[in-house]
């Protein structure tokens, strides 16, 4: 099924329902334990899933108690001599590819992006499409080799250094003081209480990371619409993007949410429910933007320090 027929994929329907159900219970879906897990990867090629699939599989792993971050389809399992355990139910994902109308070829997004970089005139011939697949976690399989216990890469990354370097590269001023944390568009600065006012260094880093994600919206960076006032639909949309992108980064860095962070963001819950019910595709627009935001912050942090986060192709082209 392609997205062009007007229907919504199972992965998207599943994610929307999880978000709305969680928000209705005053819970933030991205804080339900999945930041404690390694980002999901394809079991055969070890490629990270991104965007919608990253959220779907991270939430599924958290809810079902999976500690293994590897996933694959029934066909991939069979090809490798693995077997899905009887009675196990998989999780839906969507894989996007590009159909090239002039040569009748099907390309994955990575191939298409590389080709367009050198040949931008080919863009009119590229048609994106998606297909639905069901994937199973490694813990739902028999015969798959045990997960190799490697040194966790994000433990080598100092979160404070990471965020500081990203902000320095972006040219954003950080002003300490007061009792509130916020990004000010006009002065292009982040205002945040002194580190000593936070219950932990984790809380301070998580808050600063969230505001850093807001700062990417400046016209000199990713240029998002940042004009919404508190309580408005525009404000809710921007807050959703900052929350999801910071959740991606927190998972990469091994940061955990605490109760105070969750409590501070409950004020946005009703506006998020309203936005998502009004336009279900808004969630996926937010996820797409969040993926771009987290990628941008990662690249800024990497400019002058050696970030130890694993380099993997962030493309959903393998199943």
């Amino acid at each position: 099924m392609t997205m062009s027929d007007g229907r919504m994929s199972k992965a998207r329907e599943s994610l929307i329902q999880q978000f709305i159900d969680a928000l209705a219970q005053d819970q933030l879906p991205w804080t339900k334990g999945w930041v404690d897990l390694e980002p999901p990867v394809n079991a055969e090629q070890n490629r990270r899933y991104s965007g919608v699939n990253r959220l779907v599989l991270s939430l599924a792993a958290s809810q079902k108690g999976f500690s293994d971050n590897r996933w694959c389809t029934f066909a991939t399992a069979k090809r490798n001599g693995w077997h899905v355990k009887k009675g196990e139910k998989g999780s839906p994902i969507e894989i996007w590819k590009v159909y090239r109308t002039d040569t009748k070829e099907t390309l994955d997004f990575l191939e298409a992006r590389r080709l367009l970089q050198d040949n931008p005139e080919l863009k009119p011939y590229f048609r994106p499409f998606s297909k639905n697949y069901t994937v199973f976690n490694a813990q739902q399989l028999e015969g798959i080799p045990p997960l190799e216990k490697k040194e966790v890469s994000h433990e080598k990354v100092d979160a404070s250094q990471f965020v500081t370097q990203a902000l320095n590269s972006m040219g954003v001023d950080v002003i300490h003081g007061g009792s509130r944390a916020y990004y000010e568009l006009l002065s292009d600065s982040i205002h945040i209480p002194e580190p000593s006012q936070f219950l932990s260094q984790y809380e301070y880093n998580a808050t600063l990371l969230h505001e850093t994600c807001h700062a990417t919206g400046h016209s000199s960076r990713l240029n998002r619409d940042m004009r919404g006032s508190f309580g408005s639909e525009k404000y809710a949309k921007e807050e959703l993007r900052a929350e999801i992108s910071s959740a991606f980064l927190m998972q990469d860095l091994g940061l955990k949410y605490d109760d105070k962070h969750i409590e501070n963001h409950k004020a946005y819950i009703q506006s998020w429910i309203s936005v998502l019910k009004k336009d279900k595709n808004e969630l996926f627009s937010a996820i797409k933007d969040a993926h771009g935001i987290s990628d941008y912050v990662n690249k800024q942090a990497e400019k002058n320090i050696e970030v130890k986060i694993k380099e993997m192709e962030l493309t959903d082209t393998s199943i």
Side-chain angles (χ1 to χ4, degrees), residues 17-294:
Q17 197 56 52
Q18 286 184 73
F19 262 65
I20 292 178
D21 288 349
L23 291 172
Q25 298 174 33
D26 279 350
Q27 298 175 344
L28 305 185
W30 48 87
T31 66
K32 296 170 69 177
W34 71 270
V35 292
D36 299 335
L37 305 169
E38 284 289 294
V41 299
N42 169 267
E44 186 175 53
Q45 299 178 4
N46 203 39
R47 282 185 174 179
R48 281 192 188 184
Y49 291 98
S50 64
V52 173
N53 294 337
R54 178 173 178 174
L55 273 175
V56 167
L57 299 182
S58 292
L59 289 170
S62 175
Q63 292 168 351
K64 297 177 182 179
F66 297 144
S67 57
D68 198 312
N69 68 328
R70 297 172 297 167
W71 299 79
C72 69
T73 62
F74 184 91
T76 299
K78 184 177 181 180
R79 182 167 63 243
N80 286 275
W82 312 329
H83 306 282
V84 177
K85 296 176 183 177
K86 185 176 181 180
E88 292 289 349
K89 293 183 179 181
S91 299
I93 63 170
E94 59 180 33
I95 300 297
W96 283 83
K97 293 183 179 293
V98 174
Y99 179 68
R100 186 174 169 179
T101 58
D102 58 336
T103 61
K104 313 300 181 185
E105 294 177 277
T106 297
L107 310 172
D108 66 35
F109 263 43
L110 182 61
E111 292 173 325
R113 186 166 64 242
R114 287 173 175 169
L115 191 58
L116 282 178
Q117 285 175 347
D118 297 328
N119 306 277
E121 71 279 1
L122 295 177
K123 187 174 181 180
Y125 301 105
F126 284 16
R127 299 286 184 272
F129 69 96
S130 70
K131 294 182 67 175
N132 291 328
Y133 294 90
T134 298
V135 293
F136 298 86
N137 185 268
Q139 290 178 226
Q140 297 176 291
L141 306 177
E142 295 176 336
I144 188 170
L147 179 67
E148 291 184 25
K149 295 297 182 180
K150 297 180 180 179
E151 186 177 9
V152 180
S153 56
H154 62 228
E155 288 182 348
K156 296 180 180 179
V157 182
D158 182 275
S160 296
Q161 185 185 19
F162 177 90
V163 180
T164 298
Q165 182 54 51
L167 290 169
N168 287 343
S169 297
M170 290 163 60
V172 178
D173 291 328
V174 178
I175 301 172
H176 289 92
S179 59
R180 293 192 305 127
Y182 60 95
Y183 169 68
E184 187 175 77
L185 181 63
L186 188 61
S187 62
D188 192 25
S189 60
I190 290 173
H191 298 251
I192 188 170
E194 295 287 350
S196 60
Q197 293 178 251
F198 289 84
L199 296 177
S200 66
Q201 186 65 37
Y202 275 132
E203 183 187 331
Y204 173 79
N205 288 336
T207 301
L208 188 56
L209 191 62
H210 176 93
E211 301 306 331
T212 300
C213 291
H214 277 308
T216 65
H218 191 274
S219 59
S220 65
R221 300 178 191 104
L222 299 181
N223 194 27
R224 293 190 303 278
D225 186 350
M226 306 279 286
R227 295 171 297 174
S229 57
F230 182 81
S232 69
E233 186 174 297
K234 285 184 179 179
Y235 189 95
K237 289 181 178 181
E238 170 60 22
E239 193 63 33
L240 189 60
R241 282 155 176 74
E243 268 294 282
I244 296 174
S245 56
S246 61
F248 284 154
L249 290 165
M250 288 178 72
Q251 187 178 44
D252 287 336
L253 293 168
L255 295 176
K256 300 178 182 180
Y257 284 98
D258 60 20
D259 292 339
K260 187 173 181 180
H261 179 97
I262 297 170
E263 194 66 35
N264 288 343
H265 288 78
K266 283 187 177 180
Y268 308 118
I269 284 180
Q270 290 307 314
S271 58
W272 284 336
I273 291 176
S274 177
V275 165
L276 296 183
K277 285 186 174 180
K278 182 178 180 180
D279 180 7
K280 291 185 177 180
N281 282 315
E282 174 57 31
L283 176 60
F284 307 104
S285 176
I287 293 171
K288 179 182 177 181
D289 286 348
H291 180 67
I293 292 167
S294 60

Side-chain angles (χ1 to χ4, degrees), residues 1-8:
M1 180 183 76
T2 68
M3 297 302 294
S4 60
D5 61 10
R7 291 177 290 172
M8 187 166 286

